């Protein structure tokens, strides 16, 4: 089979062997562009529909996407039968992904060379590093998918890619300056500056590099062009970093080139220090190891500082993020920005990062934020405003990494804290973000937090009831908070009786405020599932053991092994299911109660009966095989724990 190669960093092109391929209609090429931009990661069908039609897709949108996918597969593999998956473009949990590597996509080749350059720099080989960096930047001659880029303007995936290129260009510019070879990076700097005309930090780097290469006149002309553009298009004066670059050209002063001069004219609104953090939780306690790790990351002396906190619904991600921001606020005297990105919201779509940028720019003192400008222009202005400020940015409840990318400052003097139910691996790959997953607190920590709310004397007097309440809450912080609020005017014994009577339901955790109601909060993740993943989620609640293997989940669902693995991956992304050790999955006890309620409401009794019969027969077959082995050998066999989930616990058949 012939290899296939793609270029994305410039005009979209593809080859099969030595033959360049015709990529078909515009919509088909847009689908291919997004698949390549995700660089091997899954792209949901809904994301492809949104790319092609925005908020008003036709009724046939999904079928049209599937037809284009089939056409792309047959383009890449001419002998591929209809409806066959093929080698390059494969289905993945309600979406698709490209099976590509650095040898088949220039974006991955770029990233590979950048990582090799960074490794060389860390190993004390700066000249080799510079060569690798320059070679990497030569792979990126134009905007991604040039020619289609107007259709992609403002799309988070392509904004993130442009930001990635800009970060590398600036990194290489600094190294080239240190090695006395500014000319090496000038071609890439010019290209990147032309694509990002409002990114003042990038424009300042170009001014300094031109001057360092002996092109003082060109540097002064470029400064004037950028200054006029900022004034005409955005109504703002050149910022401190760009003015510092001008001073370095005028005075040939290396020290002034290193940072803003003391007498540089301030940006309009520079004295505004936003203070948008919610108040710290009055009963915050525990989380010591997580806080220690996060503080260690937050107080690093160099590099971009982005912290990602993820975990299941109700685990306390926002509370920890706000508490951490208050702990380090004194280290960031220029203020705090906060935004709820509505990644998992009851009624509203995730908020557009362009709208968040307008809010942030207004809070930072920009008198008239450019509401008509594309998101990348707003992001460039945002990075410029923050270039000389030490600010905390808290981005709560993110849907995915692409929603976050345009909201990241461009320099390392700011701290960004992101919370999400989703593990933000792409953010770690693109920005070096440090990720931490929250688990339920230990029993002693949970008891301490509950005691803070109801009083330590009362907690000690009713210790037995309190301990059982905590365990019936599954030590989930939100569940304990809901129950503790009721304990203000109710005996713990009354609350415990209510929890006992509501066993395997969430009746005891209902709240008029949907932000505290467990059913509502779990539903915000459940509604994001594909129908097949939602069906598996409900069936998993029927399993009697504390966890389940993928093999047993396949039997329970009655699907193929590959399909089950894809559905489990989808459930893991929403954090309705966790993987607590390799190949073993579990639901938090309250999430399981929610799934049981849904199963009772949604799945007919015969459907549930049949699923349990399949599971019972599977376990019985495993037990019979073990018994035969024992009888034949006279020895107790060493059973593989991944072969049977719970040999001592048989599924109970529900009555009709």
């Amino acid at each position: 089979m012939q290899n296939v190669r793609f270029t994305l960093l410039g005009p979209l092109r593809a080859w099969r062997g030595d033959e360049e391929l015709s990529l078909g209609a515009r919509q088909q090429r847009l689908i291919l562009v997004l698949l390549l931009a995700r660089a091997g990661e899954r792209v949901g069908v809904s994301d492809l529909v949104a790319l092609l039609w925005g908020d008003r897709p036709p009724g046939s949108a999904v079928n049209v996407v599937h037809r284009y996918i089939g056409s792309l597969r047959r383009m890449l593999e001419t002998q591929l039968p209809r409806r066959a998956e093929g080698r390059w473009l494969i289905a993945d949990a309600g979406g698709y992904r490209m099976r590509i590597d650095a040898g088949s996509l220039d974006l991955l080749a770029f990233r590979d060379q950048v990582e090799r350059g960074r490794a060389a720099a860390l190993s004390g080989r700066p000249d080799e590093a510079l060569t690798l960096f320059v070679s990497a930047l030569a792979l990126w001659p134009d905007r991604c998918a040039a020619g289609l880029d107007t259709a992609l303007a403002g799309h988070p995936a392509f904004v993130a890619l442009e930001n990635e290129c800009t970060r590398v260009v600036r990194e290489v510019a600094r190294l080239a300056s240190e090695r006395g070879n500014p000319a090496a990076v000038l071609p890439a700097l010019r290209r990147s500056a032309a694509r990002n005309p409002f990114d003042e930090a990038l424009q300042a780097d170009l001014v300094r590099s031109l001057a360092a290469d002996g092109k003082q006149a060109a540097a002064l002309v470029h400064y004037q062009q950028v200054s006029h553009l900022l004034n005409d298009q955005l109504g703002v004066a050149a910022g401190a970093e760009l003015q510092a670059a001008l001073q370095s050209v005028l005075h040939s002063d290396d020290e002034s080139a290193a940072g803003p001069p003391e007498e540089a004219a301030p940006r309009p609104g520079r004295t505004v220090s936003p203070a948008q953090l919610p108040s710290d939780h009055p009963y915050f306690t525990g989380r010591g190891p997580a806080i220690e790790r996060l503080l260690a990351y937050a107080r690093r002396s160099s590099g971009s500082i982005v912290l990602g906190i993820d975990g299941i619904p109700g685990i306390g991600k926002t509370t920890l993020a706000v508490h951490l921001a208050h702990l380090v606020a004194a280290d960031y005297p220029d203020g705090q920005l906060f935004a709820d990105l509505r990644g998992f919201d009851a009624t509203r779509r995730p908020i557009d990062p362009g709208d968040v940028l307008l809010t942030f720019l207004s809070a930072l003192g920009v008198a008239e934020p450019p509401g008509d400008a594309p998101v990348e222009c707003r992001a460039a202005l945002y990075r410029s405003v923050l270039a000389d400020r030490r600010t905390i940015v808290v981005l709560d409840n993110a849907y995915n990494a692409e929603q976050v990318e345009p909201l990241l400052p461009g320099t390392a003097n700011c701290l960004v804290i992101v919370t999400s139910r989703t593990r933000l691996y792409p953010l770690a790959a693109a920005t070096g973000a440090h990720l931490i997953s929250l688990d339920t607190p230990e029993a002693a920590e949970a008891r301490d937090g509950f005691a803070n709310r109801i009083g330590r004397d009362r907690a000690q007097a009713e210790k037995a009831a309190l301990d059982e309440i905590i365990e019936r809450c599954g030590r989930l912080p939100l569940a304990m908070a809901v129950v503790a609020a009721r304990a203000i005017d109710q005996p713990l014994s009354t609350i415990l009786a209510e929890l006992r009577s509501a066993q395997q339901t969430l009746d005891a955790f209902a709240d008029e405020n949907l932000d505290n109601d467990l059913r509502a909060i779990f539903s915000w993740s459940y509604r994001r599932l594909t129908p097949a993943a939602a069906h598996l989620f409900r069936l998993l609640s029927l399993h009697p053991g504390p966890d389940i293997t993928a093999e047993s989940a396949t039997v329970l669902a009655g699907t193929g092994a590959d399909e089950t693995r894809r559905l489990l991956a989808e459930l893991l992304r929403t954090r309705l299911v966790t993987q607590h050790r390799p190949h073993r999955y579990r639901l938090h006890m309250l999430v399981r109660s929610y799934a049981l309620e849904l199963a009772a409401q949604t799945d007919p009794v015969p459907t549930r009966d049949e699923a349990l019969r399949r599971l019972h027969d599977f376990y019985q077959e495993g037990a019979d095989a073990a018994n035969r082995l024992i009888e034949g050998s006279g020895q107790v066999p060493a059973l593989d724990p991944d072969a049977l989930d719970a040999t001592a616990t048989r599924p109970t058949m529900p009555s009709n």
Side-chain angles (χ1 to χ4, degrees):
M1 181 179 295
Q2 291 180 307
N3 285 332
V4 175
R5 295 177 291 112
F6 304 90
T7 62
L8 178 66
L9 309 181
L12 175 67
R13 300 174 70 184
W15 293 264
R16 185 177 57 246
D18 295 327
E19 176 191 5
E20 184 166 358
L21 302 176
S22 174
L23 300 180
R26 178 176 177 275
Q27 288 187 320
Q28 180 170 300
R29 284 180 286 145
L30 286 172
I31 288 174
L32 178 59
V33 163
L34 186 53
L35 289 165
L36 294 175
R38 293 281 180 84
E41 297 292 331
R42 170 188 169 276
V43 180
V45 171
S46 60
D47 294 331
L48 295 171
V49 169
L51 173 65
L52 298 186
W53 293 284
D55 291 330
R56 296 186 177 180
S60 61
V62 172
N63 288 335
V64 172
V65 168
H66 289 322
R67 286 201 298 272
Y68 281 133
I69 291 293
S71 177
L72 284 170
R73 283 171 167 163
R74 291 188 296 277
M75 176 197 73
L76 298 175
E77 298 176 66
T78 56
Q79 304 302 316
L80 192 69
R82 293 185 68 84
R83 300 188 182 280
E85 186 166 80
R87 174 184 177 188
W88 302 102
L89 207 172
I90 60 177
D92 186 1
Y96 300 94
R97 65 182 177 87
M98 296 293 296
R99 187 178 284 146
I100 46 181
D101 57 23
S104 53
L105 179 63
D106 56 356
L107 173 61
L108 292 178
F110 168 85
R111 289 173 176 170
D112 179 67
Q113 289 201 44
V114 167
E115 288 306 310
R116 288 166 55 203
R118 287 170 177 160
L122 289 172
S123 300
R125 306 191 310 275
D127 292 329
E128 178 184 341
L130 183 58
T131 299
L132 287 165
F133 281 138
V134 170
S135 176
L137 290 172
L139 296 173
W140 205 314
D142 202 344
R143 288 192 183 277
C144 288
L148 291 171
D149 52 321
T150 54
L152 304 171
H155 191 286
F158 298 92
V159 173
L161 287 178
E162 188 60 42
N163 289 344
E164 179 180 350
C165 182
T166 299
R167 284 193 297 271
V168 174
V169 167
R170 298 198 65 208
E171 182 179 351
V172 181
R174 289 191 294 271
L175 179 61
S177 177
E178 292 169 2
R179 302 308 297 167
N181 187 14
V185 75
L186 273 176
L189 252 178
R190 289 181 187 274
R191 293 194 300 267
S192 191
R195 296 197 302 266
N196 299 277
F198 300 110
D199 188 331
E200 290 188 50
L202 180 64
Q203 303 299 335
D205 281 344
L206 178 54
V207 169
R208 281 190 287 264
S209 294
L210 286 168
D213 194 42
K215 300 179 173 66
Q216 281 79 5
L220 292 172
V221 168
H222 188 70
Y223 171 86
Q224 292 296 335
Q225 290 173 338
V226 174
S227 181
H228 287 312
L229 184 67
L230 290 170
N231 184 59
D232 292 342
Q233 299 295 319
L234 303 180
V236 298
E241 187 164 1
L242 194 54
Q243 292 189 43
L246 173 64
Q247 295 301 316
S248 71
V249 178
L250 294 175
H251 304 294
S252 301
D253 184 346
D254 293 337
E255 291 185 2
S256 68
E262 292 183 0
E263 297 181 1
R267 174 183 299 280
R270 178 64 181 86
T271 58
V272 174
S273 293
Q276 298 182 345
L277 280 184
S279 59
D280 199 1
H281 200 290
Y283 301 116
F284 187 92
T285 188
R287 297 297 190 193
I291 290 174
E292 284 185 20
R293 284 180 59 192
L294 291 168
L295 284 176
Y297 295 143
R299 288 171 173 162
R300 292 191 318 166
S301 59
S302 62
S304 177
I305 306 174
V306 181
L307 310 179
I309 304 172
D310 60 80
I312 68 172
I315 201 68
K317 302 179 290 293
T318 301
T319 302
L320 176 59
V322 171
H323 181 71
L324 178 68
H326 280 284
L327 286 178
V328 299
D331 297 334
Y332 295 88
D334 293 316
Q336 313 97 37
L337 298 167
F338 180 92
D340 177 3
L341 301 184
R342 302 198 311 240
F344 297 86
D345 191 274
T347 57
R348 298 171 297 176
R349 296 168 59 91
I351 192 167
D352 187 282
D355 294 337
V356 179
L357 286 168
L358 291 179
T359 302
F360 281 178
L361 287 168
S362 178
L364 290 165
V366 177
E368 296 182 10
D372 296 333
V375 67
E376 61 266 26
C377 295
R378 301 180 206 176
L381 178 58
Y382 166 71
R383 293 192 299 272
S384 298
V385 173
L386 288 179
D388 61 339
R389 300 190 187 193
R390 290 186 58 79
T391 304
I392 298 173
V393 182
V394 179
L395 305 172
D396 188 37
N397 196 17
Y399 181 56
N400 56 23
E402 291 179 353
Q403 188 186 24
V404 171
E405 283 272 8
L407 306 175
L408 300 180
T411 54
N413 50 304
C414 295
L415 169 66
V416 182
I417 307 172
V418 187
T419 74
S420 179
R421 297 186 186 185
T422 302
R423 188 76 163 158
L424 298 172
Y425 289 118
L427 198 63
T431 70
H434 301 283
L435 307 182
I436 183 170
S437 293
L438 289 188
D439 203 348
T440 52
E442 297 295 330
E445 184 178 316
R447 189 183 305 113
D448 196 37
F450 214 110
N452 280 350
R453 293 171 178 268
I454 67 172
R456 297 193 174 275
D457 291 342
R458 185 180 173 195
Q460 185 60 37
E462 301 180 79
K463 183 176 183 301
L466 176 58
D467 286 348
E468 186 174 344
I469 287 171
I470 287 171
E471 293 310 311
R472 287 186 178 273
C473 290
R475 286 188 260 133
L476 189 70
L478 180 59
M480 292 189 291
V482 170
V483 171
R486 295 176 188 163
I488 294 173
D489 54 9
Q490 295 184 49
L492 292 186
S493 57
T494 301
I495 292 173
L496 179 56
E498 182 183 356
L499 290 172
R500 287 171 174 170
S501 66
Q503 192 168 12
Q504 292 196 328
T505 77
L506 297 180
D507 290 344
F509 303 102
D511 194 281
E512 292 181 1
N513 179 359
L514 290 183
D515 289 338
N516 294 330
D517 184 277
L518 287 190
R519 279 196 191 95
I521 286 171
F522 294 157
S523 75
W524 302 343
S525 286
Y526 178 74
R527 292 173 185 173
R528 301 297 176 102
L529 298 175
T530 60
H535 181 60
L536 176 60
F537 173 64
R538 298 191 301 269
L539 290 181
L540 289 177
S541 69
L542 305 178
H543 185 265
D547 61 5
I548 188 169
T549 63
E551 184 179 12
S552 294
T554 299
V555 173
L556 188 65
T559 56
D562 289 343
E563 174 67 8
T564 302
R565 278 193 290 270
R566 285 194 290 269
L567 297 178
L568 286 169
E570 184 178 349
L571 292 172
L572 286 172
R573 282 194 291 272
T574 62
R575 285 307 177 91
L576 289 171
V577 169
T578 57
Q579 187 174 11
H580 68 109
R581 60 190 180 93
H583 313 302
R584 302 192 77 89
Y585 304 85
R586 67 183 177 190
L587 285 71
H588 184 276
M589 60 179 285
L590 298 183
V591 176
R592 184 173 185 268
S593 295
Y594 174 65
L596 279 169
E597 291 181 349
L598 291 173
Q601 297 164 8
T602 308
D603 301 311
V605 170
T607 299
R608 287 177 276 152
D609 282 354
E610 181 57 33
L612 282 173
R613 286 193 186 95
R614 287 193 302 268
L615 192 63
H616 180 276
D617 292 346
F618 172 67
Y619 285 153
Q620 188 63 54
E621 181 182 342
D624 290 345
N627 288 334
R628 288 195 297 272
L629 181 58
I630 294 171
E631 292 169 0
S633 65
Q635 298 177 356
V636 178
L639 292 178
D640 178 4
D642 286 338
L644 299 176
D645 291 78
T647 55
T649 307
R650 299 287 178 258
T652 302
M653 303 300 294
S655 61
N656 293 324

